[in-house]
Amino acid sequence: MDGRTWRNLATQRSGATQRSGTTQRIVKESLSHRIKNRLRRMLPTVALVSHHNGAEPAAPPQTDNTVETPLYNIRKEILRTFQGGCFDAIDMEPCGLIRIEGWCLEDISQVLDYIKLYINETAVPVEYYYRVYRADIAVHAGTNNHFTGFVIEYLVSSPFKDIRVTFMEEEIFTSKIEYQVAAPHYAGLISRTTAATRDDIYGSAPASRFVSDVIMNLASSYLLSPVLDFGCGSGALIRNLRGIGIEAFGIELESAAIIENLYPDIQQYVTIYSNGSWYPFEDGSFESVICTEVIEHISDFEGAVKEIARIARKRAIITVPDISAIPVCYQHNVVPWHILEATHVNFFNQSSLSHLLTPLFREVEFVKIHPNTINGTTYFNNIACICTK
């Protein structure tokens, strides 16, 4: 089917062909359409617009003028039919990936000739396109081809406010929401042209120079002054604790990367040592010790925890990645990437932490932090152990 035929079919709004009627029937009976109708009943304020090839007049494109600056996935319905297919939705990821999803019984290359995406009125080139599995369309279309779905991907690198999609020069989606784009870890893996090596994937990064609100709230709520940050990295937590009047100090293993990354204004409060098994503090030197995302990097983690218990007079907080996230996410074939970071040599769940810590502390309370949800399944990135002597 050539481009001229496609254009003619798109502009003939009256006297729809039998094939066009079939397309409408498939859309109405397809899984995506049933889900859309269910959502519309649940959320009656959401406007979902469908464009037709038949005699009915075309509705205006979906427009969203909500004022917000999200940093999460945004998915909007399109449901614009064309001869032999449909644009189902547009999906915008905070990493800058924009996907237009749909299905087509014909050659997908015909769609690419006429679909255009504009960001702030500048056309964005197609990054990738590919077929996806759509059993629902195969059933209703009466075809043996279960891969009639398609995804067209675009990649943007900066925030934007004006996004517009046209098909055969007709606007089918527009939005004025301000979308935030954040450079993800491993951003180059989306579009690199050479094969990645193991070192490219299982790498490590400098110590974080930021403290999450969750960790800050844990520290300020449970720690008694003075506090030792055991494995303090850049000193970000020391900086924050001192900023709210908590007397905080740090200890860190000597390395060029640590010294380079350490905040200059807290260097006087940090002890740099070279012996990995001996810590230069007397018993009970600090009321509290906090150790965030450290013992998974230490081969002798048992020795390190014993030292934390020795140095802390009353309380300690220890956080680690939660390895149970892997089996929890198994059904979705997802592995949270940070858990398998190259310098992690130990992996913990709540049970192993309990066996490790209860001989050393009178009471151990567990808090799971930094939750994420994938397809309705919630997992936690980290476990925090609040230990009392």
Side-chain angles (χ1 to χ4, degrees):
M1 187 180 294
D2 60 22
R4 184 175 59 185
T5 303
W6 272 70
R7 184 174 295 279
N8 289 339
L9 287 170
T11 54
Q12 291 171 0
R13 294 290 179 179
S14 61
T17 63
Q18 181 179 357
R19 182 69 173 278
S20 180
T22 301
T23 301
Q24 295 300 318
R25 176 178 59 79
I26 296 171
V27 171
K28 290 179 180 178
E29 296 178 1
S30 69
L31 179 63
S32 58
H33 192 270
R34 294 201 304 273
I35 292 173
K36 167 224 162 185
N37 283 335
R38 190 176 305 143
L39 286 173
R40 184 160 54 187
R41 288 194 297 271
M42 295 170 61
L43 304 170
T45 59
V46 177
L48 302 177
V49 178
S50 177
H51 293 246
H52 299 275
N53 285 338
E56 305 156 52
Q62 182 184 344
T63 303
D64 193 331
N65 293 307
T66 308
V67 178
E68 56 179 321
T69 56
L71 189 57
Y72 47 83
N73 169 274
I74 299 288
R75 182 179 176 84
K76 299 289 184 181
E77 301 290 344
I78 297 177
L79 290 178
R80 189 339 186 145
T81 60
F82 54 87
Q83 183 66 25
C86 179
F87 296 106
D88 285 335
I90 183 168
D91 185 76
M92 289 160 275
E93 299 286 348
C95 66
L97 202 59
I98 300 174
R99 298 185 178 104
I100 295 176
E101 303 171 3
W103 57 269
C104 179
L105 301 177
E106 305 289 347
D107 183 357
I108 188 177
S109 63
Q110 298 284 359
V111 176
L112 296 173
D113 289 339
Y114 299 106
I115 187 78
K116 305 293 180 186
L117 182 138
Y118 299 89
I119 297 293
N120 300 329
E121 294 304 317
T122 300
V124 180
V126 173
E127 188 77 16
Y128 300 112
Y129 67 93
Y130 46 88
R131 287 285 193 178
V132 293
Y133 184 72
R134 288 295 298 269
D136 58 325
I137 299 302
V139 169
H140 293 297
T143 175
N144 291 326
N145 183 3
H146 285 69
F147 295 89
T148 56
F150 66 78
V151 175
I152 304 170
E153 289 188 346
Y154 305 83
L155 193 59
V156 298
S157 58
S158 57
F160 58 89
K161 188 173 184 179
D162 187 353
I163 180 171
R164 189 164 61 91
V165 180
T166 66
F167 181 62
M168 292 185 171
E169 301 180 358
E170 176 191 344
E171 193 171 84
I172 62 173
F173 176 83
T174 182
S175 174
K176 300 295 184 181
I177 291 179
E178 183 176 349
Y179 291 96
Q180 295 299 312
V181 175
H185 295 100
Y186 300 110
L189 298 183
I190 294 176
S191 57
R192 66 179 291 159
T193 57
T194 57
T197 67
R198 185 176 181 83
D199 289 342
D200 294 322
I201 306 300
Y202 298 102
S204 59
S208 174
R209 296 180 67 80
F210 303 95
V211 180
S212 77
D213 290 341
V214 174
I215 295 297
M216 191 60 195
N217 283 323
L218 270 175
S220 60
S221 299
Y222 288 96
L223 296 180
L224 305 170
S225 184
V227 174
L228 175 69
D229 186 354
F230 189 97
C232 64
S234 67
L237 181 58
I238 299 170
R239 215 166 178 243
N240 286 14
L241 291 175
R242 285 189 165 269
I244 60 172
I246 295 177
E247 191 179 7
F249 300 86
I251 185 169
E252 187 55 85
L253 190 63
E254 183 177 14
S255 74
I258 288 294
I259 293 172
E260 181 182 353
N261 208 38
L262 195 63
Y263 279 109
D265 56 326
I266 55 90
Q267 286 184 3
Q268 61 182 310
Y269 307 115
V270 176
T271 299
I272 302 293
Y273 73 106
S274 57
N275 187 330
S277 60
W278 178 81
Y279 303 93
F281 300 111
E282 299 293 330
D283 294 359
S285 296
F286 297 87
E287 291 293 296
S288 305
V289 176
I290 185 167
C291 177
T292 60
E293 309 301 296
V294 173
I295 66 170
E296 67 270 20
H297 300 270
I298 301 175
S299 297
D300 182 17
F301 65 90
E302 292 174 320
V305 168
K306 287 177 182 177
E307 283 294 283
I308 291 171
R310 180 184 67 79
I311 295 167
R313 196 161 79 86
K314 292 183 178 178
R315 184 167 291 162
I317 293 178
I318 298 171
T319 79
V320 294
D322 183 2
I323 197 65
S324 72
I326 291 180
V328 169
C329 295
Y330 167 76
Q331 61 178 317
H332 308 299
N333 294 316
V334 169
V335 175
W337 73 268
H338 177 69
I339 288 178
L340 301 181
E341 194 256 18
T343 59
H344 290 182
V345 294
N346 310 298
F347 303 91
F348 303 93
N349 59 21
Q350 184 168 332
S351 179
S352 61
L353 286 168
S354 179
H355 281 79
L356 174 66
L357 298 172
T358 50
L360 302 172
F361 296 92
R362 175 175 55 84
E363 180 182 348
V364 179
E365 181 179 1
F366 296 95
V367 180
K368 292 206 173 187
I369 57 177
H370 302 135
N372 286 297
T373 301
I374 296 176
N375 298 332
T377 297
T378 298
Y379 72 92
F380 294 85
N381 277 310
N382 312 89
I383 305 177
C385 312
I386 302 168
C387 309
T388 304
K389 297 186 76 174

